[in-house]
């Protein structure tokens, strides 16, 4: 019991003392962040607080300047998002990184195509039925429904496209899922779908880093809320004991939060 | 998402019949219908002068080089790039092929006497040299575009001038004389299959086999392989492809290399068909191939296009001009008619596509 | 078309309709219409494939051919051509024209090697081909009718020699190497200067790449090295216009004499506005007339032309003689309204004299 409890307290992904500059602008200052198994960590902050920058540094989109990233307790260095994916860290990017002219299966398997066996495979021939089968199986296991798996994404609504992007991340993530504003472009029902999915992923033991502007959404799914302001982590909130007003105050640095925290 | 928490709008779209994404995309295009309409109109008007096997045989042979260039351009345009250099690369390739062929087919004394004692070596090596020349030009295009982060429009525009100029330099600005006639008589005009249809001879020649063989292989590659998948993915969203682990730059180099290679093949075909390398020809082939591809449904914005559509697109201007010549329409009106059909074909195709897409 | 042919044509059209209904494929097979035994006909169709459409030289040739066709009474002329001088554009046009089953084709081939196979295919389909202006390196064509460009070059030399008083330095702005017509003009020019005018020094030629700007740069450079230049021969439109532009920029217009080749409306305008001092006019109308006459004779008698190579003349045009009807009729036209049948004849190419009408 003690051992498994200790394991449970080891972060899957940990950032220590991350700094990042864009020219003269200090985007991140000594940022520490730990992601533990089976939790949803919400990362909130005003525009320009450094949320996306932090994610990009963690997943290898941007190079690490100073600080350490630990993955399962081991220091790692991701020089591309591909390397992060290889480790089981999947990201849903804010700018919806899908190829809209491909269908959902092709998007889900992009860069990881299954090829046919034998010579045909060596020649690069794709095994489309297998990819479709694996997609259906995986999504069924996660209880995710993506309509029209063989339809090109341009023919789908924005919410359905986001569903594909989320489904792709969830399908491949074995360690961590990072979602950068996954609900920004969505309607009410679609947002509910995504939040549901976030909880399901967490329930399988895979932690989710959830970045959002939408405080009600954050309070619906987060187990822990980390607040970034001007490139620094200012506080951590427990959604069970704090309110949305507290979070907003922390993000903007208004007195109400400070007062309350002091009291 | 868990269960069926779908909005009505999603239920609507998911109720649509699922579409086979790659195979049927061409059939969604209106272009084949336009080609068929053109054929029907000329057939009714001109009868057997137009609608006879020999005429279609001519059209297929006359389109062979354009088809090869269009296949290459289709790959390039699907990645949201452009290759303006194909016509010039074709010219350079044919000049290099001719020069190598002549040099290896006999001593200068032999050649001056129009004797080619070693043409068994000279002709194949010469043709290969032409193809390799095209490949090199294409690799240079791709390398400059990806390494220097330059727009493909500019790089290939530069290559257009460079290849044309080199071709002119090598040839002295004129048709290369003393090409062994066997390249034309024994290869280009060789009748691989000859059919007697309705008293007319229909010939399948090597240029036809090469051109349509290439188109067939390219269609399979684009539809069925990872190479084709990446081609669409990069054109659709290069950044997403890069994040998904696709080596976008390497793939783009391959794409431009392919386009150059096919221009080199078309250059070798020039020698087969005409028995000479002519620097005065092919100077608008780049636009012809681009328009064929676009008429065939390829989107200049990337992500969309098929080889089948492009081949049909290459046929439309050829068939139209053939029919108008047979109808004895004044040449200037032919340009007007072809221009109008091009615009119409692309307009209809776009309307249909927009109706389907939500972007 | 004869009545019988017309009838056959109708039948074909109807059967195509029927056949395409049944076959559904829209592709039915018929023997070509109107395959005919030569001498039995009373009217003929001749297809004229120009070297390039929209060029005054070929338009005038077309007018000559039409005038002759009309005067003969039983010839229908169908004119086609590529939009650029390009064998890959001309070949499909030739193929399509063959499908209309004309009785004969007269054409200006776009490449001397490259057009051999397409012309052979036309001949194989039973259509005789006669080459006008340009030709192919072959003897499959029925005959060749063209300007004697060597003689045209000599005429240019003689005209220029006269206008510079028989002494001084001259040079040639040519197009690009390897074009047989312009190379022959230069050769004829050089030949006449060297053999007939001992006091004229020939400085050689430069290639302006059919570009007025390049031609102007070359001429300006030559004027630097030889400021005492007396005359220039530009072997085609852009060569002459470029050279003339350089003269104007240096204020040497009129001092250095300019000879241009061809007599289209642009060149004539240049002559009248003193950009050039002399023009050598080819006789494209005569080429058209002679070609149609030859084909008519062949189609009615079945006897091929002999000799096979015929040349038409060239004329020196100056500001003084341009309004002389004998000269004016050789100026190229933009449409056939201005063209009158000349009743031209041609001479065998072997003849040393072309028919100068200076």
């Amino acid at each position: 019991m003690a051992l498994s409890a200790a394991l449970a307290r080891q972060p899957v992904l940990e950032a220590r003392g991350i700094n990042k500059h864009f020219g003269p602008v200090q985007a991140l200052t000594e940022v520490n962040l730990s992601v533990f198994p089976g939790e949803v960590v919400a990362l909130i902050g005003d525009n320009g607080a450094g949320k996306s920058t932090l994610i990009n540094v963690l997943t290898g989109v941007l190079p690490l300047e100073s600080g350490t990233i630990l993955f399962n307790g081991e220091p790692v260095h991701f020089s591309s998002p591909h390397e992060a994916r290889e480790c089981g860290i999947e990201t849903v990017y804010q700018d919806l990184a899908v190829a809209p002219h491909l269908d959902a299966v092709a998007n889900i398997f992009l860069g990881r195509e299954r090829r046919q066996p034998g010579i045909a495979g060596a020649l690069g021939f794709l095994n489309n039925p297998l990819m479709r089968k694996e997609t259906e199986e995986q999504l069924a296991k996660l209880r995710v429904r993506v309509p029209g798996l063989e339809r090109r994404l341009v023919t789908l609504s924005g919410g359905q496209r986001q569903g594909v992007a989320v489904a792709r991340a969830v399908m491949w993530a074995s360690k961590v899922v990072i979602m950068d504003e996954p609900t920004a472009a969505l309607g009410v029902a679609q947002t509910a779908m995504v939040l549901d999915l976030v909880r399901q992923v967490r329930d399988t033991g895979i932690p989710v880093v959830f970045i959002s502007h939408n405080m009600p959404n954050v309070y619906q799914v987060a187990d822990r809320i980390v607040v970034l302001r001007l490139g620094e982590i200012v506080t951590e909130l427990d959604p069970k004991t704090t309110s949305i007003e507290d979070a907003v105050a922390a993000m903007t640095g208004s007195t109400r939060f400070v007062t309350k925290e002091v009291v | 998402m868990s269960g069926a928490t779908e909005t009505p709008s999603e239920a609507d779209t998911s109720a649509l019949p699922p579409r086979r994404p790659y195979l049927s995309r061409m059939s969604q295009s209106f272009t084949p219908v336009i080609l068929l309409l053109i054929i029907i109109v000329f057939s009714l008007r001109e009868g057997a002068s137009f609608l006879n096997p020999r005429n279609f045989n001519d059209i297929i042979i006359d389109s062979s080089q354009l088809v090869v260039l269009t296949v290459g351009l289709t790959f390039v345009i699907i990645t949201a790039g452009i290759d303006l250099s194909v016509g010039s690369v074709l010219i350079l390739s044919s000049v290099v092929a001719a020069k190598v062929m002549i040099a290896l087919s006999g001593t200068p004394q032999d050649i001056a006497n129009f004797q080619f004692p070693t043409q068994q070596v000279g002709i194949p090596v010469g043709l290969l040299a032409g193809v390799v020349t095209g490949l090199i030009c294409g690799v240079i295009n791709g390398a400059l575009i990806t390494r220097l982060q330059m727009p493909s429009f500019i790089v290939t525009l530069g290559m257009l001038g460079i290849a044309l100029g080199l071709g002119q330099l090598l040839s002295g600005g004129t048709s290369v004389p003393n090409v062994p006639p066997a390249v034309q008589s024994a290869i280009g005009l060789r009748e691989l299959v000859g059919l007697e249809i309705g008293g007319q001879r229909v010939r399948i020649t090597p240029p036809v086999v090469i051109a349509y063989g290439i188109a067939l292989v390219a269609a399979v590659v684009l539809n069925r392989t990872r190479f084709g998948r990446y081609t669409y993915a990069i054109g659709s969203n290069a950044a997403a492809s890069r994040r998904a682990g696709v080596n976008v730059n390497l793939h783009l180099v391959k794409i431009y290399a392919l386009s150059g290679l096919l221009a080199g093949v078309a250059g070798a075909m020039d020698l087969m068909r005409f028995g000479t390398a002519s620097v005065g020809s092919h100077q608008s082939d780049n636009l012809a191939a681009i328009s064929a591809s676009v008429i065939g449904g390829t989107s200049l914005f990337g992500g969309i296009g098929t080889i089948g559509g492009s081949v049909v697109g290459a046929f439309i201007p050829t068939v139209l001009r053939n029919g108008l010549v047979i109808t004895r329409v004044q040449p200037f009106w032919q340009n007007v008619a072809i221009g109008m059909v091009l615009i119409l074909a692309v307009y209809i195709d776009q309307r249909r596509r927009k109706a389907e897409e939500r972007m | 078309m004869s009545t019988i042919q017309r009838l056959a044509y109708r039948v074909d059209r109807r059967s195509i309709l029927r056949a395409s209904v049944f076959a559904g494929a829209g592709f039915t097979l018929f023997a070509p219409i109107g395959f005919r035994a030569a001498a039995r006909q009373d009217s003929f169709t001749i297809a004229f494939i120009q070297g390039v459409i929209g060029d005054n030289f070929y338009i005038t040739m077309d007018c000559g051919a039409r005038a002759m066709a009309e005067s003969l009474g039983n010839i229908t002329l169908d004119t086609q051509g590529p939009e650029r001088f390009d064998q890959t554009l001309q070949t499909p046009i030739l193929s399509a024209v063959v499908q209309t089953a004309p009785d004969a084709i007269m054409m200006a081939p776009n490449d001397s090697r490259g057009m051999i196979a397409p012309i052979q295919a036309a001949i194989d389909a039973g259509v005789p081909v006669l080459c006008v202006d340009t030709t192919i390196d072959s003897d499959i064509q029925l005959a060749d009718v063209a300007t004697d460009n060597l003689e045209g070059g000599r005429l240019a030399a003689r005209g220029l020699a006269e206008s510079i008083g028989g002494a001084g330095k001259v040079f040639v702005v040519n197009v690009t190497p390897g074009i047989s017509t312009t190379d022959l003009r230069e050769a004829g020019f050089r030949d006449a200067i060297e053999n007939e005018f001992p006091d004229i020094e020939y400085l050689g030629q430069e290639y302006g790449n059919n570009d007025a700007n390049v031609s102007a740069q070359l001429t300006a450079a030559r004027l630097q090295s030889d400021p005492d230049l007396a005359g220039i021969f530009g072997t085609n439109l852009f060569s002459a216009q470029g050279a003339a532009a350089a003269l104007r920029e240096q204020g040497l217009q009129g001092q250095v004499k300019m000879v241009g080749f061809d007599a289209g409306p642009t060149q004539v305008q240049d002559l009248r506005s003193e950009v050039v001092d002399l023009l050598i006019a080819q006789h494209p109308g005569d080429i058209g007339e002679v070609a149609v006459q030859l084909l008519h004779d062949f189609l009615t008698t079945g006897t091929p032309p002999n000799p096979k190579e015929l040349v038409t003349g060239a004329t020196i045009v100056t500001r003084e003689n341009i309004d002389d009807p004998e000269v004016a009729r050789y100026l190229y036209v933009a449409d056939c309204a201005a063209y009158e049948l000349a009743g031209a004849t041609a001479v065998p190419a072997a003849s040393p004299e072309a028919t100068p009408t200076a």
Side-chain angles (χ1 to χ4, degrees):
Chain A
M1 271 318 267
L3 183 67
S4 70
L7 273 180
R9 291 317 300 162
Q10 163 156 4
V12 181
L13 188 65
E14 189 179 359
R16 286 185 192 158
I18 305 286
N19 286 291
K20 182 76 195 170
H21 296 260
F22 293 113
V25 180
Q26 178 99 21
L28 295 174
T29 313
E30 290 296 319
V31 170
N32 298 312
L33 178 73
S34 297
V35 182
F36 294 94
E39 69 167 356
V40 177
V41 187
L43 197 55
I44 64 169
D46 206 351
N47 281 339
K51 300 170 303 217
S52 293
T53 307
L54 177 58
I55 295 315
N56 285 337
V57 170
L58 283 178
T59 57
V61 174
L62 292 173
L64 182 63
E65 252 165 43
S66 71
T68 320
I69 296 171
L70 299 171
F71 180 67
N72 283 334
E74 301 286 320
V76 286
H77 185 79
F78 299 134
S79 57
S80 75
H82 186 58
E83 288 180 24
R85 294 179 71 193
E86 294 282 299
C87 287
I89 301 170
E90 286 290 327
T91 311
V92 181
Y93 292 96
Q94 190 171 2
D95 50 1
L96 200 67
V98 293
H101 299 95
L102 298 182
D103 62 35
V105 176
N107 265 291
I108 285 169
F109 276 87
L110 186 59
R112 296 178 163 120
E113 286 79 5
R114 296 273 183 266
R115 287 190 263 174
Q116 290 186 358
I119 297 168
L123 288 171
F125 278 83
L126 298 171
N127 193 339
N128 286 318
L130 177 67
M131 287 191 270
R132 188 187 160 87
K133 190 166 144 277
E134 286 188 14
T135 306
E136 281 170 350
E137 285 171 2
Q138 279 289 325
L139 295 185
K141 216 162 86 186
L142 290 159
R143 292 191 291 147
V144 174
R145 272 199 61 192
V146 175
L149 276 180
E150 290 194 341
R151 287 189 22 213
R152 295 181 300 142
L153 302 194
V154 278
T155 67
L156 304 180
S157 70
Q160 291 167 327
R161 266 180 242 172
Q162 183 69 298
V164 172
V166 172
R168 175 174 66 183
V170 169
M171 197 170 139
W172 295 110
S174 55
K175 297 288 186 283
V176 181
V177 178
I178 298 169
M179 298 186 183
D180 192 354
E181 299 281 2
T183 58
L186 303 187
V188 176
Q190 294 150 353
T191 301
M193 275 163 39
V194 171
L195 296 184
D196 222 15
L197 191 57
V198 168
R199 288 190 202 99
Q200 276 171 47
V201 172
R202 182 215 27 220
D203 293 348
T204 64
I206 296 170
V208 177
V209 179
F210 186 86
I211 298 164
S212 183
H213 265 106
N214 186 314
M215 289 308 120
N217 287 353
V218 167
Y219 272 77
Q220 274 173 289
V221 294
D223 298 312
R224 205 151 56 86
I225 298 171
V226 175
V227 185
L228 267 173
R229 191 171 76 223
L230 301 173
E232 288 179 75
I233 292 189
V234 290
T235 188
E236 208 179 288
L237 303 172
D238 180 348
K240 292 188 194 71
T241 59
T242 58
S243 67
I244 290 176
E245 286 73 26
D246 299 328
V248 172
M251 280 160 64
T252 55
S254 75
T255 49
R256 179 173 177 240
F257 161 72
V258 177
T259 323
K260 185 168 182 179
E261 194 71 351
V262 168
V263 170
Chain B
M1 206 95 169
S2 62
T5 49
E6 287 190 313
T7 61
S9 77
E10 272 163 3
D12 282 346
T13 47
S14 55
L16 287 172
R19 299 203 174 130
R20 308 271 329 256
Y22 299 108
L23 276 183
S24 62
R25 212 174 283 160
M26 189 190 137
S27 65
Q28 293 168 25
S29 164
F30 192 65
T31 320
V33 180
I34 291 181
L35 179 62
L36 200 64
L37 280 177
I38 292 170
I39 290 174
I40 289 171
V41 167
F42 283 123
S43 299
L44 294 179
R45 221 195 109 75
E46 293 302 319
S49 298
F50 177 79
L51 193 66
N52 74 71
R54 179 73 219 154
N55 192 36
F56 280 81
N57 196 201
D58 286 340
I59 290 171
I60 285 167
I61 294 171
D62 287 335
S63 308
S64 56
Q65 286 170 289
L66 181 59
V67 164
V68 172
L69 295 181
T70 303
V71 166
L73 246 316
T74 303
F75 276 89
V76 172
I77 298 174
I78 289 174
T79 65
I82 201 80
D83 188 349
L84 297 174
S85 69
V86 288
S88 294
V89 171
L90 187 167
I91 293 168
L92 176 62
S93 300
S94 71
V95 169
V96 169
K99 289 284 180 189
V100 170
M101 197 176 285
I102 293 166
L104 295 181
S105 291
T107 63
Q109 186 62 40
D110 292 329
I111 305 296
N113 294 328
F114 218 58
Q115 299 289 316
F116 308 97
T118 55
Q119 63 179 7
Q120 289 85 349
V121 178
I123 290 177
V125 175
L127 293 176
L128 188 67
V131 174
V132 170
T133 303
L135 177 65
I136 292 170
C137 292
V139 169
I140 293 172
N141 274 339
L144 293 178
I145 289 164
T146 54
R147 300 285 154 224
L148 305 186
Q149 300 281 304
M150 300 256 287
S152 56
F153 185 92
I154 297 301
V155 170
T156 59
L157 191 61
M159 181 57 78
L160 182 157
I162 293 167
L164 181 62
L166 290 176
Q168 288 167 332
L169 275 173
L170 279 175
S171 66
T174 175
S175 296
V176 178
N178 297 331
V179 173
V183 69
Q184 190 181 20
S185 58
I187 302 177
L189 301 178
R190 172 176 292 231
E191 193 176 290
L192 298 174
V193 180
L195 299 168
E196 205 74 36
I197 304 176
Q200 293 185 317
R201 193 88 181 142
V202 171
R203 297 176 175 83
I204 305 297
T205 58
V208 173
V209 173
I210 293 169
Y212 299 94
I214 284 173
L216 194 67
V217 171
V220 171
V221 167
L222 196 55
N223 282 335
R224 296 258 153 252
T225 70
R226 200 173 64 169
F227 187 87
R229 177 71 49 91
Y230 286 178
T231 305
Y232 285 112
I234 289 169
S236 186
N237 188 340
S241 306
R242 201 168 277 127
R243 284 185 194 166
V246 177
N247 190 337
V248 172
N249 282 353
L250 179 65
H251 192 79
L252 285 178
V253 172
K254 288 182 192 167
I255 291 285
Y256 287 93
L258 175 69
S259 180
L261 175 83
L262 293 180
V265 170
M269 287 166 71
D270 221 33
L271 291 183
M272 297 180 197
R273 292 191 59 210
F274 296 105
T276 179
S278 165
V279 288
S281 310
H282 298 292
Q283 299 205 5
S284 59
D285 278 18
N286 52 1
L287 295 182
I290 291 167
S291 61
S293 194
V294 171
I295 293 164
T298 310
S299 165
L300 287 170
F301 302 106
I304 300 171
T306 62
I307 299 297
S310 293
V311 172
V312 171
F315 274 122
I316 285 182
T318 315
V319 171
L320 202 54
R321 195 174 289 279
N322 172 278
L324 290 170
V325 169
I326 290 175
T327 314
R328 300 195 165 93
V329 171
Q330 198 198 347
F332 299 112
W333 279 112
Q334 295 171 11
N335 286 334
V336 174
I338 289 169
M340 292 197 311
V341 169
L342 299 198
I343 292 172
L344 185 74
V346 174
Y347 173 72
I348 293 174
D349 205 46
Q350 275 190 355
R351 282 287 298 267
R352 291 166 60 90
R353 195 184 298 147
K354 286 225 175 81
E356 180 203 1
E357 293 175 0
R358 293 194 179 186
M359 283 189 100
Chain C
M1 251 190 239
S2 69
T3 318
I4 291 174
Q5 281 164 16
R6 228 171 257 154
L7 199 61
Y9 180 66
R10 289 230 182 85
V11 169
D12 274 349
R13 268 168 72 161
R14 227 181 298 127
S15 53
I16 281 169
L17 268 173
R18 205 183 323 123
S20 37
V21 168
F22 287 129
F27 196 124
T28 38
L29 320 169
F30 294 97
I33 337 166
F35 231 90
R36 24 207 146 183
R40 288 272 161 239
Q41 277 174 252
D42 48 12
S43 74
F44 303 95
T45 304
I46 293 175
F48 173 31
I49 303 175
Q50 299 172 322
V52 62
I53 55 172
D55 183 285
N56 294 111
F57 178 82
Y58 289 114
I59 291 171
T60 308
M61 194 183 292
D62 186 43
C63 297
R66 282 182 190 282
M68 180 57 78
E70 200 175 311
S71 109
L72 291 167
N74 58 351
I75 303 278
T76 311
L77 199 74
D78 168 30
T79 306
Q80 293 289 342
E83 56 196 300
R84 280 187 298 105
F85 208 84
D86 180 340
Q87 60 187 3
T88 59
L89 300 180
Q90 199 180 35
T91 300
I93 292 171
L94 176 58
S95 308
V97 162
V98 169
Q99 289 302 326
T100 66
D103 294 288
I105 292 172
M106 53 186 270
M107 69 181 294
N110 277 178
D111 191 282
S112 58
R113 275 282 315 150
M115 289 309 293
I116 295 177
I119 288 175
Q120 182 67 57
I123 293 169
D124 291 346
V127 187
V129 177
L130 181 145
C131 294
V132 288
D133 183 36
T134 51
T135 184
I136 48 175
D137 298 335
S138 177
D139 57 359
I140 55 174
Q141 68 272 37
L142 196 63
D144 289 301
V145 184
T147 301
D148 187 342
N149 278 294
L150 200 64
E151 188 59 27
R154 289 199 188 101
L155 277 184
R158 288 171 197 144
L160 186 62
E162 194 187 313
S163 65
I164 64 174
K169 293 176 177 175
V170 296
F171 109 109
V172 170
V173 181
N174 208 337
V175 185
T176 53
I179 301 177
S180 64
T181 51
T182 47
D183 282 354
L184 279 172
R185 289 170 200 169
E186 189 274 335
F189 182 87
R190 187 183 54 215
D191 175 66
I193 293 287
E194 287 173 355
N195 292 321
E196 299 171 23
F197 304 100
D199 295 334
I200 297 180
E201 185 188 349
Y202 180 50
L203 298 175
Q205 62 179 326
E206 295 282 356
Y207 294 104
N209 290 328
N210 206 28
D211 182 327
N213 202 22
V214 176
S215 303
Q217 290 165 9
L218 295 169
T219 306
R222 180 58 71 178
L223 286 167
Q224 290 300 316
S225 63
D226 297 279
D228 54 342
L229 198 68
I232 302 174
F233 171 36
T235 59
N236 80 343
L237 173 64
F238 293 120
S239 308
Q241 283 189 329
L247 291 182
R248 239 175 329 186
E249 279 158 16
Q250 313 239 344
L252 293 170
Q253 190 178 354
Q255 255 171 278
V256 179
K257 299 293 177 188
M258 269 297 316
V259 189
F261 215 89
D262 285 326
T266 315
Q267 287 101 333
V268 168
Q269 180 66 37
D270 286 348
L271 180 69
R272 290 192 192 276
S273 58
E274 305 188 11
V275 172
V276 299
D277 302 288
L278 295 166
L279 290 175
I280 306 301
Q282 304 185 64
H283 299 171
D286 290 3
I287 296 175
E289 292 184 18
V290 168
V292 168
Q293 180 72 60
L294 287 174
L295 287 173
H296 172 267
D297 293 350
F298 171 68
L299 292 170
T300 48
T301 67
T303 317
N306 184 29
K308 279 184 70 168
E309 286 174 37
L310 293 160
V311 290
T312 53
T315 300
I316 297 180
V317 186
T318 64
R319 277 184 288 280
E320 288 71 42
N321 75 4
I322 192 165
D323 295 315
D324 176 350
E326 271 306 296
V327 173
R329 72 189 186 86
Y330 288 118
L331 304 181
Y332 309 170
V333 296
D335 65 70
C336 293
Y339 189 88
E340 277 176 40
L341 185 68
T345 54
V347 296
S351 162
E353 287 298 310
T355 54
T357 32

